[in-house]
Amino acid sequence: MARRPHNAPPTRDTGPRINERITSDEIRLIGADGENVGVVTPSRALDLAEEAGLDLVEISPNANPPVCKIMDFGKYKYEQQKRESEARKKQKVIEVKEVKFRPNTDTHDYDVKMRNVTKFLQNGDKVKVTLRFRGREMAHQELGRDLLNRVAEDTKDIGKIENMPKMEGRQMIMIIGPVASK
């Protein structure tokens, strides 16, 4: 397999074909102001684009014949980038936050940790509730299960249990997801 030189630019060409790269025998042309010119040859379309001082851009390459439009390609790419960045801004990335308990967590500590759990769920994040057993605590796993059931009961209004409590080594894990807002 031949390798390209280290300093050579990548050969992948992204985006629509423009100007001389359009290879079809005939194309359906849309003018600069949006009117349908009709089916013409690419050379005729290029002449019209040069007269207007714009580029010939292939909009729909899979159509028969391919659809091309006379437009400012730099402006088109800029607007497309802006649309994509707006779409990325509006996305909500769901994170998984972790809250760790012990089987004998006292009431005040429990309340503080539950405040964090409710805050995470209200922000739309998932919460991984981890219950850690040490030493002889492994003999009393039912205490841990009761604690996780209490957590589930306290969060039933703002979260739903996605993974029921299960043992993984010396810890019991449960995942709670936010309830979809109406």
Side-chain angles (χ1 to χ4, degrees), residues 2 8 33 42 58 61 68 83 86 94 106 125 128 162 167:
D33 45 351
E58 191 174 45
C68 295
R83 276 195 302 270
E86 279 297 315
I94 295 178
D106 210 8
D125 296 322
K128 178 180 179 182
E162 293 186 358
M167 284 299 293

Side-chain angles (χ1 to χ4, degrees), residues 50-61:
E50 285 177 14
E51 282 176 27
L54 299 170
D55 298 308
L56 181 66
V57 181
E58 191 174 45
I59 299 296
S60 177

Side-chain angles (χ1 to χ4, degrees), residues 142-162:
E142 70 280 353
L143 293 175
R145 195 166 299 279
D146 292 343
L147 183 71
L148 288 182
N149 288 337
R150 183 173 155 206
V151 170
E153 185 65 31
D154 290 348
T155 60
K156 71 178 180 211
D157 299 337
I158 56 171
K160 63 180 185 301
I161 298 174
E162 293 186 358

Side-chain angles (χ1 to χ4, degrees), residues 29-37 48 52 54 69-72:
L29 182 64
I30 299 171
D33 45 351
E35 88 281 354
N36 190 352
V37 176
L48 290 172
L54 299 170
K69 185 174 182 181
I70 296 175
M71 66 168 85
D72 184 354

Side-chain angles (χ1 to χ4, degrees), residues 122-141:
Q122 286 168 346
N123 289 341
D125 296 322
K126 291 183 179 181
V127 179
K128 178 180 179 182
V129 181
T130 305
L131 187 74
R132 200 92 188 257
F133 294 100
R134 282 156 105 189
R136 293 184 187 153
E137 292 173 350
M138 285 294 286
H140 301 287
Q141 291 180 15

Side-chain angles (χ1 to χ4, degrees), residues 34-155:
E35 88 281 354
N36 190 352
V37 176
V39 178
V40 296
T41 62
S43 58
R44 170 84 176 112
L46 267 173
D47 293 339
L48 290 172
E50 285 177 14
E51 282 176 27
L54 299 170
D55 298 308
L56 181 66
V57 181
E58 191 174 45
I59 299 296
S60 177
N62 297 331
N64 192 10
V67 179
C68 295
K69 185 174 182 181
I70 296 175
M71 66 168 85
D72 184 354
F73 186 63
K75 184 177 176 184
Y76 169 75
K77 278 185 73 171
Y78 171 72
E79 288 171 353
Q80 199 173 26
Q81 274 182 330
K82 276 181 65 173
R83 276 195 302 270
E84 288 172 0
S85 70
E86 279 297 315
R88 274 196 299 275
K89 280 182 190 172
K90 291 178 181 158
Q91 284 180 344
K92 169 70 173 121
V93 177
I94 295 178
E95 293 183 35
V96 178
K97 306 282 191 173
E98 186 174 18
V99 178
K100 294 184 178 181
F101 286 92
R102 293 281 311 281
N104 52 2
T105 302
D106 210 8
T107 54
H108 178 70
D109 295 333
Y110 175 83
D111 293 340
V112 170
K113 289 175 187 279
M114 283 308 294
R115 233 176 296 150
N116 285 333
V117 169
T118 53
K119 182 176 70 177
F120 295 149
L121 289 173
Q122 286 168 346
N123 289 341
D125 296 322
K126 291 183 179 181
V127 179
K128 178 180 179 182
V129 181
T130 305
L131 187 74
R132 200 92 188 257
F133 294 100
R134 282 156 105 189
R136 293 184 187 153
E137 292 173 350
M138 285 294 286
H140 301 287
Q141 291 180 15
E142 70 280 353
L143 293 175
R145 195 166 299 279
D146 292 343
L147 183 71
L148 288 182
N149 288 337
R150 183 173 155 206
V151 170
E153 185 65 31
D154 290 348
T155 60

